[in-house]
Amino acid sequence: MSLKIAIQGIKGSNHHQVAKDCFGDDIELIECLSFDALVDKLLSKEADQGVMAIENSIAGSIIPNYALVNHNNLHIIGEYYLNIHHNLMVLKGQKIEDITEVSSHPMALLQCKEYFRQYPHIKLVEDVDTAETAKRIQEQKLKHVAAIAPNVAAELYGLDIVANDIQTIQNNATRFIIVKTKNDALPQAEISKASLRFLTDHKRGSLAAVLNVMSDCRLNLTKIQSLPVIETPWKYAFFVDVTFADYADFTKAKSLLNIMAEDFKILGEYKNVRQ
C-alpha cells in the first residue's frame, strides 16, 4: 500500500519534488493549496505524512508553520534541503517579449524581483502555488502570462522555459520538514538533531541561561526563532533547532531544560542531514 504524502501545492511544485526525493515515485500525493489544509489532511488521517517548507536561505523562516506544528502537536521526523531553481515558463510558442503578466507564489516572486526590473511592463501577480499557475496556463492556453516554477512543472504541463534560474541569489535553498501526527522513534544512534519549543520568564538573563545550558551540554544551536504567544500579550515562545554528536548530551540537556524553561516541548528528534 502506497504512503499517502500531503504536500502544499500540486504536482510540479517544489514540495512535490521533495516528496519524490524522500519517498520515491510509489506514493499517493495529497495536494493541498495551503499549509492549514495539509495539517487537516494529517489530523483526519487522510495522509500518513506531510512535507512542509519551514525556512528559505534568502527569505528566512516561514513563521506560521512553526505555530502550525506546535498547535497541532505534529512531530518532525525528518528534514530535507532542496536547492531552488526558479524558471520562467510560458505556453508553447510564446516568447518573453509576449509576456505582460507573471503569476506565482509570493515567495517565488520575492526571490526573482531583481530579474523583472529589466521588464517594467510585466505585472507580478501573487498566486497560491508555483506549479498551479503553470498548470492553469496549459489548461486554459493562456497567452501573455508566464509562471515561475521548477523544471518538473514545465515537463508535466508541456510549457516552454524562456529563462532559467532567474532567482536573484543563485545559491538559494529551502529547508523542508517531514511531519506526522505520531512520533516515529529512530534508534538513538541515528538521532543527531532536535527541534524544541520553550518559553522563558522576563527575568534578566533567562534566555541566556537556557542557551548556556545547551552550550554546556555540547549542543550546537543551528536555529532560533521567536514567536508571540497569542494568549499572553508580550510573551514570546522560542523555537530552537540543535544538533549533537552524542544522544546522551541531548538527554542531559532535556532534563535541565525541563526544569529551567517554561512549557518545554520537543517538536521532533531526527537525523541531521547537513553533517
Side-chain angles (χ1 to χ4, degrees):
M1 194 171 171
S2 299
L3 268 179
K4 295 177 181 178
I5 306 298
I7 62 166
Q8 188 275 321
I10 65 170
K11 287 178 182 173
S13 64
N14 285 314
H15 279 80
H16 178 210
Q17 186 64 58
V18 173
K20 280 165 62 76
D21 291 349
C22 290
F23 302 102
D25 291 318
D26 186 24
I27 57 174
E28 183 181 335
L29 206 65
I30 311 291
E31 299 171 326
C32 309
L33 287 183
S34 71
F35 288 111
D36 291 85
L38 184 156
V39 171
D40 288 342
K41 294 293 184 186
L42 289 170
L43 297 178
S44 67
K45 296 184 169 44
E46 292 174 69
D48 301 311
Q49 299 184 31
V51 173
M52 181 183 283
I54 199 73
E55 60 181 310
N56 176 265
S57 58
I58 298 171
S61 298
I62 305 172
I63 291 175
N65 287 355
Y66 285 89
L68 275 177
V69 170
N70 175 52
H71 291 318
N72 293 285
N73 294 314
L74 298 181
H75 296 270
I76 301 170
I77 62 164
E79 64 177 357
Y80 189 86
Y81 289 82
L82 181 71
N83 289 323
I84 303 298
H85 300 281
H86 288 310
N87 304 298
L88 195 64
M89 54 193 69
V90 295
L91 197 65
K92 282 198 178 296
Q94 292 273 288
K95 305 289 183 216
I96 200 161
E97 296 78 22
D98 301 321
I99 299 168
T100 57
E101 181 181 300
V102 171
S103 182
S104 195
H105 190 277
M107 194 73 81
L109 293 172
L110 180 68
Q111 292 170 11
C112 301
K113 226 166 76 171
E114 283 302 308
Y115 175 81
F116 292 105
R117 288 170 74 92
Q118 61 188 306
Y119 302 106
H121 66 285
I122 293 178
K123 181 183 177 184
L124 303 181
V125 179
E126 294 186 358
D127 212 328
V128 292
D129 181 56
T130 52
E132 198 276 334
T133 305
K135 183 182 180 185
R136 193 167 68 247
I137 289 171
Q138 192 272 332
E139 286 181 345
Q140 299 178 17
K141 305 293 183 236
L142 297 178
K143 295 181 178 179
H144 313 298
V145 178
I148 300 170
N151 271 332
V152 65
E155 294 166 11
L156 271 172
Y157 303 119
L159 302 182
D160 283 343
I161 293 177
V162 292
N164 289 288
D165 285 323
I166 64 171
Q167 63 269 14
T168 305
I169 299 171
Q170 292 301 305
N171 187 12
N172 176 11
T174 295
R175 177 179 173 238
F176 295 79
I177 51 175
I178 313 301
V179 290
K180 283 186 74 171
T181 55
K182 292 183 180 178
N183 187 20
D184 263 11
L186 282 173
Q188 283 188 5
E190 293 181 27
I191 296 172
S192 51
K193 190 169 184 177
S195 295
L196 316 172
R197 177 196 180 269
F198 58 86
L199 283 68
T200 60
D201 58 34
H202 285 301
K203 291 177 185 172
R204 186 178 65 191
S206 293
L207 178 59
V210 169
L211 297 180
N212 282 336
V213 165
M214 294 181 185
S215 177
D216 290 345
C217 291
R218 295 188 286 193
L219 305 188
N220 179 35
L221 182 74
T222 60
K223 174 78 179 175
I224 184 166
Q225 178 73 51
S226 64
L227 208 63
V229 178
I230 297 169
E231 306 83 18
T232 313
W234 311 118
K235 190 89 169 172
Y236 288 84
F238 294 96
F239 291 81
V240 167
D241 289 337
V242 291
T243 61
F244 39 88
D246 189 341
Y247 191 86
D249 292 331
F250 179 55
T251 300
K252 182 181 177 185
K254 279 192 291 186
S255 61
L256 292 169
L257 293 173
N258 215 21
I259 298 166
M260 294 180 62
E262 296 177 34
D263 291 339
F264 177 64
K265 184 178 181 181
I266 298 167
L267 301 175
E269 299 179 11
Y270 47 97
K271 184 178 182 179
N272 176 23
V273 299
R274 299 190 78 190
Q275 300 290 355

